[in-house]
Amino acid sequence: MTQVQRPPRTADERTQLIGWLDLQRSFVRMKCTGLSEEDAHRKVLPTSPLMTPAGIVSHLRWVEYTWFQLGLMGVPDTGQTPWTEDGHVDAEMFVDDVPIAQLLDEYDAECARSNETIADLPLDTLEKGPWAAKGEAASLRFALCHMIEETARHVGHLDIIRELIDGVKGYTEPE
């Protein structure tokens, strides 16, 4: 995914929401550009050892899947997710043996699938997945707002982690 531009200031709500989300998504790959495999998996936060660039990318991929496929569309979990009922709450972040390029490609593919999934859905569309069954369904609008927040928060983590690893900072492609 290449870095995208901010959505137009006067765009409609849908264009704004998806535009801001796509912008934040583009920063994920950008913040990982130029990292070695070792650095992509480097644990620089002693109290949060799973917060590596690779771990964050994997987490964001599965958050996309959870909100748009499992939640919104109600796609049944057939065991492809990294979580199990008695497993670790952050199982999606155990990716020490997965190349960063693969994780980024999987993330980009999941983001594209999310956009394709929601392309024709009204913003008021309610989830069909497990939360709906509990009477806690969120709208597509809520899911998009949440994903903007979730992605932006983790882009901030990537920004800090990248600076700790090699001093690269900012929101332009490293040279």
Side-chain angles (χ1 to χ4, degrees):
M1 175 180 282
T2 59
Q3 185 174 339
V4 299
Q5 299 299 311
R6 291 179 177 183
R9 291 176 186 241
T10 57
D12 62 275
E13 181 182 18
R14 177 182 207 83
T15 301
Q16 290 277 340
L17 291 170
I18 294 172
W20 282 106
L21 179 55
D22 281 343
L23 179 64
Q24 293 304 313
R25 287 167 168 163
S26 75
F27 291 147
V28 172
R29 182 174 283 274
M30 188 208 68
K31 294 310 299 181
C32 295
T33 298
L35 284 174
S36 67
E37 284 302 319
E38 179 184 347
D39 286 341
H41 295 87
R42 183 174 294 176
K43 296 162 178 38
V44 295
L45 303 172
T47 58
S48 298
L50 298 177
M51 291 287 280
T52 65
I56 292 170
V57 171
S58 180
H59 169 74
L60 286 170
R61 179 265 174 115
W62 288 107
V63 169
E64 288 273 343
Y65 179 81
T66 300
W67 274 95
F68 295 115
Q69 302 307 316
L70 295 178
L72 189 66
M73 300 310 295
V75 173
D77 184 358
T78 57
Q80 73 272 26
T81 61
W83 307 289
T84 59
E85 200 163 305
D86 59 347
H88 193 282
V89 68
D90 294 319
E92 79 279 13
M93 296 177 84
F94 288 102
V95 291
D96 285 348
D97 58 341
V98 183
I100 188 66
Q102 177 184 332
L103 294 168
L104 287 164
D105 288 347
E106 289 172 356
Y107 176 64
D108 288 347
E110 197 63 52
C111 292
R113 181 163 74 154
S114 295
N115 281 352
E116 183 179 307
T117 297
I118 65 173
D120 297 322
L121 296 177
L123 294 175
D124 292 331
T125 300
L126 294 179
E127 291 180 304
K128 300 173 187 164
W131 300 279
K134 297 177 183 178
E136 300 172 4
S139 68
L140 172 55
R141 179 181 290 102
F142 180 94
L144 286 167
C145 288
H146 173 75
M147 287 305 301
I148 293 166
E149 179 271 335
E150 176 92 8
T151 307
R153 183 165 40 95
H154 288 307
V155 166
H157 293 139
L158 285 170
D159 201 32
I160 292 166
I161 291 169
R162 183 67 191 259
E163 187 172 349
L164 289 170
I165 288 171
D166 63 8
V168 172
K169 55 187 174 180
Y171 289 96
T172 57
E173 295 284 344
E175 295 180 23

